[in-house]
Amino acid sequence: MKYYDKLIFELSKEGRTGYSLREPQARVCLPEKLARKEAPELPQVSEVDVVRHYTNLSQMNFGVDTGFYPLGSCTMKYNPKINEEIAAMPAFAGVHPLQEDVQGVKEVYEGLDKALAAITGMAHFTFLPCAGAHGELTGLMLMRAYHESRGDHARKKVIVPDSAHGTNPASAAVCGLEVVVVKSKADGLVDVEDLKPLLGDDIAGIMMTNPNTLGLFERDIKEIAKLVHGCGGLLYYDGANMNPLLGVVRPGDMGFDIMHLNLHKTFSTPHGGGGPGSGPVGVCNKLVSLLDSVHTSGFHGNFGVMLRAYTYILMLGKQNLRLAGKLATLNANYIKESLKDAYKLPIASVCKHEFVFDGLIDDGAKEGVQGATTLDVAKRLLDYGFHAPTIYFPMLFHQSLMIEPTETESKETLDGFIEVMHKIAAEAAQDPDILHQAPHNTPIGRPDETLAARQPVLKWEA
Amino acid sequence: MAGKFAYFPHTEEDIRTMLQRIGVSSLDELYSDVPSDFIFKGEYDLPDAMSEQEVRAFFEGLAAKTPRKTVFVGAGAYDHYTPAVIPQITSRSEFLTAYTPYQCEISQGTLRYIFEYQSMICKLTGMDVSNASMYDGPSAAAEAVRFCLASTRKKSKVLLSSTLLPNVIRTVQCYAKWAGTVIELIPSKDGQTSLEALQAALADASVGGVIVPGVNRYGIVEDHEGFAEAAHKAGALLVEYCDPSTLAVVKSPAEWGADLAVGDGQPLGIPLCYGGPYVGFMACKSEYMRKLPGRIVGQTTDAQGRRCFVLTLQAREQHIRREKATSNICSNQSLMALWVTVYLSLMGPQGLRQVNDLCYEGSHRLREGLLATGKFEPLFEGKPFIKEFVLKPLCDVKALQQALSDAGFFAALETEEGYVSFCVTEKRTRGEIDALIEVVKGL
Amino acid sequence: MSKIIEGLLYSESHEWVKIDGNVAIIGVSDFAQSELGDITYVDMPSDGDEIEKGSEFGALESVKTAADLYSPVSGTVVATNRAVEDDPSLINADPYTNWIIKIEMSDKGECNSLLDAAAYAKIAE
C-alpha cells in the first residue's frame, strides 16, 4: 500500500467532463423562485481522472481478498465471486421494486425464506431490515406488536446482558423500550440468579447473543427461556454470532421467538467497507401474522444482498452447511490454544467461533517503561499484513482482544497469524516501543483522533 | 467430507492436527458445552450442494421468469443510467470486501471516499455536515424524526407532508409508533404541501419538526416559501426530503432555509435492483452536528503530519453511548455511498444538469402525448415537474397497465388517490416514449 | 493519584461543587478528567434551565468514550462556561479552575449529602 493524498475535488478543472449523455433538445424550465441559484460545486473531472483516483484510493485499503481478518463479532469470511455475478444479472438489477410480474424475484424471496427457516428453526422471515442493528429494531417492534396484539400494554422493558453488543440497548431505546441489564458471572455467562428478580409482567423480553460476545455458549439457555417465557416475555436472538451454530444448532430449538441474521456475516456477502448488509428477521409461528406490520425500510430490503446470500446457501447445500460452523469453531479453538502461552486467557473453557484475550502475559513493562497495550498489538499486526482483531470489546476486561477466524481460513493462514502474534509478544517483552509506535509499514501512521474530534473538518472546502 | 468444498480449505489431515493441538478427539467434541438436545440431529431441509455452473443455471432459470420491462415508473426508485465506470470501481475487491474502516491506517481508501461523499452531499443540499450514509431514504426520514425531537426541547410531535412518497410516510409512521412519537399529516392543496395547513398544525406547541418533500409524490417541484419561517417561529425544525438528482436544478434545502436534508441517493446511478441496496443520506446545519445519527468521517493528520481521515465524533454512537446514542445504527451503506460518489464525480455540475434536461424533455413529451390520446385528464395544471407526473385516467387502469405490460413497458402506476403516475428518466428514448403513447392510443 | 482540592464538595459521580452564597459552581474532578482522557466536547445546558439534583445536565465527550454530567444540587442554571465550551482541553489542563456551570440553588440543604475531600478521596482511586 502506498500513500496517495488527493481528493477528487482537487483534480477538478473548470470545463472538464466525465460523462457521456446525448444532447437534450430542451432545458429544465422552472419558475425562478423554485430554481437553484448556483450549480452545485461538484468536481469537474474526466473519466480517466475518476478511474485513476479511485483505483489509487482502493490501494490504501485492506479487504478479505487482501488478507486475513481475525475480527471478533464480525465474521469476515471469504466473499465468493459467483455471488457478485448473480447479483449483477441484468434481469435482477433492472427490476423496479413496484413491478409485480416478477416471478423469478418472488422465488428468490420464497427460497431464501425457506432456507433460512430450515437453518434457524424459525417459521418465516421478513427481509426489510438492511443491517443487523436494523434487524434488532425490527425484531423488537415485532416483540412489542405481539404483546400489543394480545392487549398486553404494560410490557415496556427489555432485558439485555451486560456483555451485549452496544446496538442491543440502542435498538431497544429507539423502539421505546427501557433497558434492564442482567449481569454476567465470572465465567462469562448470564447470571440466572440475577435474572430471576428482574422478571415480571412489565418485561417484553430478553435479547441474547448465543454464543455470547465472549464466544461462549450460554448453556443455561433452556432455563433462561423457561423463566422468560414463564413471565410472559419473548426471547430475541442477536444473530451476530450465528456462524459457529451454522449446521449444528438452531436458535428456534433453543426457545428463541424472534431473531435476526446478518447475511453479510454468516452468509458470506461482502461488507463493502461498512455496508450494505442485510438483517432479515425470523419469527416463530405465533408471530408470523405480524411480519407484514413492520415497515422499517422503503421497499423490500436489500434484494442485491439477498441474492448473494441465496447463492452461497445453494453452493453450501445441506452437505457443506454441516461443516461450516464446526470448522469455524475448530479454527478459533486452534488459535486460542496456540497463543495462550503468550496472551492472557481469562476464560479457558472451549470457545465457539471467537474468544477473548485480556492483553499480553509479558507486555514489557519495566521501571519507567510502559508496557504494550492491546491497541499496540492491534496496530503492530497491521505491519505484518493482518487486519487487527476487535479490541476493547467486550468491556468485561480492560485489554480485550477478541479473535474470530472463520471456516474459510486455512491452517497455513492461521499458523502464519499465530507466528506473528508470538513475534509481537516477543517484541513487546523486549522493546514495547516498537509496538507503541506501530504501525510502521502502512500508508499512514496513527492519526490524531483528538484533533479530528475537537476541530471537526467534515467536508472539503475550496 | 472435508477438502471437497471450494470455500473450506481444511484437509482431513489439517483437521486431525488441529484437533490434536486443541486436545479434543473430534469436531463434535468442540460442542461439548452445548446441551445435547440442542444439537440438531435431523436433516436440514435444504437443496443438495450445487456446483457453480448449476447455481448459475438455477438463477438463469429465475431470470427467465422475470421479464425485463422498459421502466416508466418512479415512486421512489428511478431508472437512471449507470455509467460503466461505477461497477468497475465498486467491484474492486479492496472496496467490496473491506470491513468498516475502524483501522484507519489500512482503510484510507474507504475513509477518503466517504469524506468525498459527505462533501458532495453538502454541496448538493447546501447543508454544513453530512453523515457517512444510512440504509435508505425512508429510514433516513424516520431517523430525521428522532433527530428533530433530540434537537428541540420538550417536543413530542412531528408533521409530515401528505405529499411525501407513500413508502416514506409508512416507514416514518412505523418507527414513530413504537418510539411514542405523534405523527400528523399536513394536507396538500393543488398538489403541494399547504402552507396554511402547516401554519395551523404548528399552533400545537408540541411540534418539534416538519418534513416536506422537495419534489413530491406527484413529481411536482414544491414551493416552500414561508415554510422555514413558520417552523422556526414555532420552535420546530424544517426537514427537506429530496431527490438528490434534481438538486442540480431545483432550489436546495439550504436555500429554503431547512435545518436538515434527507433522502435516497438511488437516483444517482444506483440500479433499481428491486428496491435495494440503495443509500439514505442525511445532512444538517452545523449547529446540530452532534445530534446526527450514524458514522461521520473527519479529516486529521497522522504522526508525521500527513493529511488523513478517521471516523470521528463517535461519542454519539451506540458502541459508546448504548441506549443513549443518537440512533441504533451501527453501519452505513458504504459501498453505495461510493457508487454515488463516483457517479457525481463523473457527472459534475453540467452532467447532472443535463440528466435533468433530458428527463424534463422526455417527461413533458410523454405527458403531452398521453393527454392527446384523450384517455386522461390533466392534474395540477401549471405545476412544474421534472421527470415524474400524474394524470387522471379516463380509461380502465388495469386494462391500461396490462396493455403496456404486454408491450414491454412498466408504466401507469396506480396511486392511492386513483391517479396514474409516469416517470421518464434520461434513459428513455424518444422512440420508447412514442411507442408507449402508441400503445395507449390503440386501447 | 489524582488531585483533590480541600474545601470543595464532591458527588459520587465525580462532579465538584464550590458554594458561593446561593450559587453552586460545578465542575468535574481531576479523577474524572483523567479517566476520560482528552476531552473533545462539552455538552452544556442553557441558561435558565431548571435542573434537579441527580439529573443529567450535560456530558463530556472524549474520542472513545462519553460521560454524562449529573447535577449535585437542584436549581436554575445561571451561567455556563463559554471558555471550556470553546476549548474543552482546559478541563484536562486544570479541572478545578475550569468550572462548567453555575446553578442558583433552590435547596441549599442538599449540599449536606455531598462528600468532603477526604470522603471523596476514598472513591476516586
Side-chain angles (χ1 to χ4, degrees):
Chain A
M1 293 187 199
K2 61 172 197 239
Y3 182 66
Y4 164 79
D5 190 35
K6 287 284 189 281
L7 290 170
I8 191 75
F9 293 94
E10 294 160 357
L11 302 174
S12 184
K13 190 169 183 183
E14 182 81 38
R16 199 168 269 167
T17 52
Y19 62 90
S20 125
L21 293 165
R22 70 174 190 275
E23 277 305 312
Q25 311 289 311
R27 298 270 284 175
V28 172
C29 176
L30 292 174
E32 201 190 329
K33 70 186 298 201
L34 301 182
R36 186 176 181 118
K37 293 269 175 307
E38 280 174 25
E41 196 189 358
L42 297 169
Q44 301 184 45
V45 287
S46 70
E47 183 170 320
V48 187
D49 292 333
V50 171
V51 170
R52 291 219 177 112
H53 174 70
Y54 290 101
T55 302
N56 275 305
L57 288 193
S58 77
Q59 288 171 350
M60 291 195 286
N61 249 19
F62 185 96
V64 171
D65 287 3
T66 321
F68 173 44
Y69 275 84
L71 196 63
S73 255
C74 294
T75 315
M76 296 294 289
K77 63 174 72 175
Y78 171 66
N79 312 131
K81 300 307 156 198
I82 182 71
N83 296 358
E84 300 306 313
E85 277 206 22
I86 300 299
M89 283 170 69
F92 300 128
V95 183
H96 191 281
L98 299 175
Q99 239 174 294
E100 286 176 0
D101 51 347
V102 287
Q103 188 54 30
V105 169
K106 287 177 182 164
E107 285 183 28
V108 171
Y109 278 82
E110 287 158 12
L112 186 56
D113 180 44
K114 188 161 173 263
L116 296 181
I119 291 167
T120 59
M122 307 310 284
H124 282 291
F125 280 78
T126 169
F127 292 92
L128 262 63
C130 301
H134 207 200
E136 289 175 19
L137 175 60
T138 307
L140 290 172
M141 288 175 178
L142 286 163
M143 184 184 280
R144 292 199 64 189
Y146 170 76
H147 294 307
E148 296 279 330
S149 73
R150 305 169 78 236
D152 192 348
H153 304 292
R155 297 186 182 270
K156 296 220 170 125
K157 290 183 181 171
V158 66
I159 301 170
V160 177
D162 56 6
S163 61
H165 296 116
T167 48
N168 287 184
S171 299
V174 174
C175 194
L177 287 162
E178 186 189 326
V179 175
V180 186
V181 175
V182 60
K183 292 198 182 72
S184 305
K185 295 177 291 181
D187 64 2
L189 302 178
V190 166
D191 186 344
V192 177
E193 291 312 310
D194 193 57
L195 173 68
K196 283 177 184 168
L198 304 178
L199 299 170
D201 57 12
D202 56 348
I203 294 297
I206 187 169
M207 299 180 86
M208 298 269 294
T209 309
N210 195 16
N212 65 22
T213 58
L214 295 164
L216 304 172
F217 192 86
E218 296 278 1
R219 62 190 83 182
D220 295 325
I221 184 62
K222 193 185 271 183
E223 193 186 352
I224 293 169
K226 201 173 149 199
L227 287 167
V228 174
H229 283 148
C231 87
L234 298 179
L235 273 81
Y236 182 89
Y237 181 87
D238 174 343
N241 293 356
M242 177 68 197
N243 206 42
L245 304 192
L246 203 54
V248 189
V249 179
R250 309 192 312 168
D253 297 338
M254 290 189 274
F256 286 97
D257 305 289
I258 310 170
M259 70 174 293
H260 81 263
L261 287 165
N262 298 72
L263 298 186
H264 48 286
K265 296 181 180 179
T266 318
F267 294 93
S268 87
T269 77
H271 277 65
S278 173
V281 169
V283 295
C284 63
N285 271 313
K286 66 182 175 194
L287 277 86
V288 169
S289 62
L290 299 167
L291 277 179
D292 290 337
S293 71
V294 286
H295 303 282
T296 43
S297 67
F299 291 106
H300 318 285
N302 285 343
F303 178 63
V305 180
M306 293 171 56
L307 279 169
R308 291 172 172 90
Y310 193 28
T311 303
Y312 171 72
I313 289 171
L314 294 175
M315 291 290 293
L316 272 182
K318 59 182 163 205
Q319 293 83 1
N320 297 307
L321 177 82
R322 281 290 193 184
L323 265 182
K326 287 180 184 175
L327 292 177
T329 300
L330 173 73
N331 280 0
N333 280 281
Y334 180 70
I335 297 180
K336 175 169 73 96
E337 291 304 314
S338 304
L339 286 177
K340 66 181 185 186
D341 58 336
Y343 294 82
K344 287 180 204 156
L345 183 63
I347 295 172
S349 57
V350 65
C351 68
K352 295 278 83 61
H353 62 304
E354 68 187 8
F355 60 92
V356 180
F357 283 133
D358 188 12
L360 285 152
I361 288 175
D362 179 359
D363 64 4
K366 294 174 199 76
E367 188 67 36
V369 180
Q370 210 191 350
T373 63
T374 276
L375 178 69
D376 297 331
V377 172
K379 293 300 179 194
R380 187 64 175 146
L381 267 171
L382 308 182
D383 279 336
Y384 289 108
F386 292 103
H387 195 275
T390 296
I391 55 174
Y392 301 110
F393 183 84
M395 291 176 258
L396 300 170
F397 310 112
H398 285 297
Q399 293 292 329
S400 287
L401 187 78
M402 187 193 218
I403 294 175
E404 176 182 358
T406 74
E407 72 281 4
T408 61
E409 300 305 329
S410 69
K411 180 172 176 295
E412 286 74 10
T413 300
L414 304 184
D415 286 339
F417 174 71
I418 290 162
E419 192 190 328
V420 161
M421 286 290 280
H422 275 127
K423 208 168 178 177
I424 292 171
E427 285 175 350
Q430 284 152 21
D431 180 10
D433 247 12
I434 298 178
L435 273 65
H436 294 322
Q437 282 156 28
H440 306 270
N441 310 330
T442 46
I444 60 158
R446 285 193 204 185
D448 186 343
E449 297 191 58
T450 305
L451 174 70
R454 276 189 184 154
Q455 291 161 34
V457 177
L458 308 176
K459 64 173 192 288
W460 175 84
E461 299 277 12
Chain B
M1 197 149 84
K4 290 278 166 61
F5 184 52
Y7 313 152
F8 299 162
H10 301 69
T11 64
E12 296 286 358
E13 175 61 26
D14 289 339
I15 293 174
R16 248 193 322 275
T17 320
M18 293 168 80
L19 288 172
Q20 238 164 32
R21 166 97 47 102
I22 298 164
V24 295
S25 58
S26 68
L27 288 174
D28 290 339
E29 208 180 320
L30 294 170
Y31 289 80
S32 57
D33 54 340
V34 179
S36 66
D37 43 347
F38 291 152
I39 302 286
F40 185 65
K41 294 168 198 78
E43 172 145 348
Y44 279 95
D45 183 14
L46 288 175
D48 288 325
M50 292 183 192
S51 69
E52 217 180 84
Q53 189 181 334
E54 286 166 334
V55 165
R56 199 187 291 272
F58 174 84
F59 282 103
E60 275 162 8
L62 294 186
K65 294 188 206 173
T66 311
R68 292 199 69 183
K69 294 282 159 68
T70 304
V71 176
F72 276 94
V73 166
Y78 301 92
D79 190 23
H80 287 286
Y81 182 72
T82 303
V85 169
I86 304 178
Q88 290 289 325
I89 295 292
T90 55
S91 60
R92 284 189 70 86
S93 70
E94 300 90 337
F95 289 135
L96 180 72
T97 73
Y99 179 60
T100 297
Y102 290 132
Q103 296 297 329
C104 54
E105 295 90 344
I106 52 170
S107 310
Q108 286 297 300
T110 302
L111 289 161
R112 275 190 188 245
Y113 78 65
I114 294 177
F115 186 80
E116 293 175 345
Y117 162 86
Q118 290 173 181
S119 307
M120 289 177 187
I121 294 296
C122 289
K123 299 291 179 201
L124 280 176
T125 58
M127 292 286 141
D128 302 315
V129 186
S130 162
N131 70 13
S133 76
M134 319 191 77
Y135 306 131
D136 65 359
S139 64
E143 293 272 5
V145 169
R146 203 174 153 80
F147 172 97
C148 286
L149 298 183
S151 305
T152 52
R153 304 162 65 92
K154 296 174 184 158
K155 305 282 192 178
S156 56
K157 186 184 201 177
V158 170
L159 307 177
L160 295 191
S161 169
S162 56
T163 63
L164 284 159
L165 290 163
N167 67 345
V168 173
I169 294 177
R170 194 168 62 220
T171 307
V172 170
Q173 282 176 329
C174 176
Y175 270 66
K177 176 181 176 186
W178 301 113
T181 306
V182 181
I183 297 291
E184 185 181 318
L185 292 179
I186 319 162
S188 63
K189 196 183 166 203
D190 299 332
Q192 94 130 50
T193 317
S194 157
L195 177 60
E196 293 72 32
L198 170 65
Q199 284 164 332
L202 281 167
D204 181 342
S206 69
V207 176
V210 180
I211 308 182
V212 292
V215 177
N216 71 24
R217 58 160 69 188
Y218 311 121
I220 293 169
V221 181
E222 291 213 352
D223 178 353
H224 291 159
E225 192 168 308
F227 280 44
E229 291 75 8
H232 294 158
K233 211 170 106 192
L237 304 191
L238 179 67
V239 183
E240 288 266 339
Y241 188 93
C242 13
D243 172 344
S245 173
T246 64
L247 289 178
V249 292
V250 307
K251 211 166 194 172
S252 70
E255 287 174 296
W256 286 123
D259 305 286
L260 183 71
V262 293
D264 204 308
Q266 185 276 335
L268 302 175
I270 296 177
L272 292 169
C273 199
Y274 200 56
Y278 294 169
V279 56
F281 65 87
M282 187 180 238
C284 68
K285 292 282 184 200
S286 56
E287 60 206 279
Y288 304 109
M289 174 170 72
R290 311 243 168 203
K291 301 294 180 195
L292 261 191
R295 290 180 186 146
I296 298 176
V297 170
Q299 180 181 310
T300 185
T301 52
D302 77 352
Q304 294 167 50
R306 289 178 295 197
R307 177 169 65 171
C308 62
F309 299 86
V310 294
L311 290 171
T312 193
L313 305 181
Q314 294 188 62
R316 302 162 296 111
E317 293 186 63
Q318 50 75 31
H319 60 282
I320 290 174
R321 298 289 260 169
R322 297 177 82 88
E323 66 267 30
K324 286 179 181 163
T326 51
S327 166
N328 69 325
I329 196 166
C330 146
S331 58
N332 64 336
Q333 298 278 107
S334 201
L335 198 73
M336 308 323 286
L338 174 61
W339 204 285
V340 162
T341 307
V342 177
Y343 179 83
L344 290 172
S345 301
L346 291 167
M347 289 296 152
Q350 290 84 8
L352 203 58
R353 160 95 213 183
Q354 198 164 321
V355 165
N356 281 279
D357 290 338
L358 288 164
C359 292
Y360 187 88
E361 177 192 334
S363 63
H364 285 75
R365 181 184 183 88
L366 178 64
R367 185 170 180 275
E368 280 158 33
L370 289 172
L371 285 173
T373 65
K375 305 271 171 37
F376 306 94
E377 265 179 21
L379 284 160
F380 313 125
E381 281 271 55
K383 292 281 181 193
F385 65 95
I386 292 174
K387 60 189 170 198
E388 209 169 3
F389 60 90
V390 288
L391 297 174
K392 192 171 170 192
L394 300 174
C395 53
D396 178 54
V397 174
K398 288 281 166 288
L400 168 70
Q401 289 173 337
Q402 191 58 52
L404 288 168
S405 179
D406 292 345
F409 298 107
F410 175 51
L413 183 77
E414 189 169 19
T415 71
E416 289 168 2
E417 300 86 347
Y419 308 151
V420 286
S421 158
F422 294 87
C423 178
V424 185
T425 65
E426 80 285 9
K427 264 174 86 172
R428 298 290 76 87
T429 62
R430 282 188 165 211
E432 289 168 343
I433 294 166
D434 294 346
L436 191 157
I437 296 167
E438 282 307 310
V439 173
V440 176
K441 263 189 203 158
L443 269 180
Chain C
M1 189 60 204
S2 66
K3 196 165 129 188
I4 295 170
I5 305 261
E6 288 289 339
L8 298 179
L9 295 173
Y10 296 87
S11 68
E12 286 171 14
S13 49
H14 308 289
E15 289 85 10
W16 58 257
V17 184
K18 186 177 169 187
I19 307 296
D20 180 10
N22 219 24
V23 171
I25 305 169
I26 297 166
V28 295
S29 71
D30 187 44
F31 174 80
Q33 74 75 21
S34 70
E35 284 288 293
L36 276 165
D38 292 341
I39 296 166
T40 56
Y41 179 67
V42 186
D43 186 18
M44 293 273 194
S46 306
D47 282 3
D49 283 3
E50 302 278 338
I51 289 174
E52 297 225 357
K53 179 182 163 86
S55 68
E56 285 170 39
F57 69 82
L60 299 181
E61 294 181 2
S62 65
V63 170
K64 297 290 179 198
T65 187
D68 290 321
L69 295 166
Y70 298 94
S71 183
V73 295
S74 305
T76 309
V77 178
V78 289
T80 58
N81 190 350
R82 276 293 172 84
V84 303
E85 205 173 358
D86 293 343
D87 181 6
S89 71
L90 290 172
I91 297 176
N92 291 120
D94 185 351
Y96 294 109
T97 310
N98 293 296
W99 55 277
I100 298 173
I101 57 166
K102 294 183 182 181
I103 288 183
E104 172 97 41
M105 290 180 281
S106 56
D107 177 8
K108 221 175 155 179
E110 284 176 349
C111 296
N112 297 334
S113 62
L114 296 172
L115 309 169
D116 63 15
Y120 179 66
K122 288 189 188 126
I123 62 166
E125 280 172 0

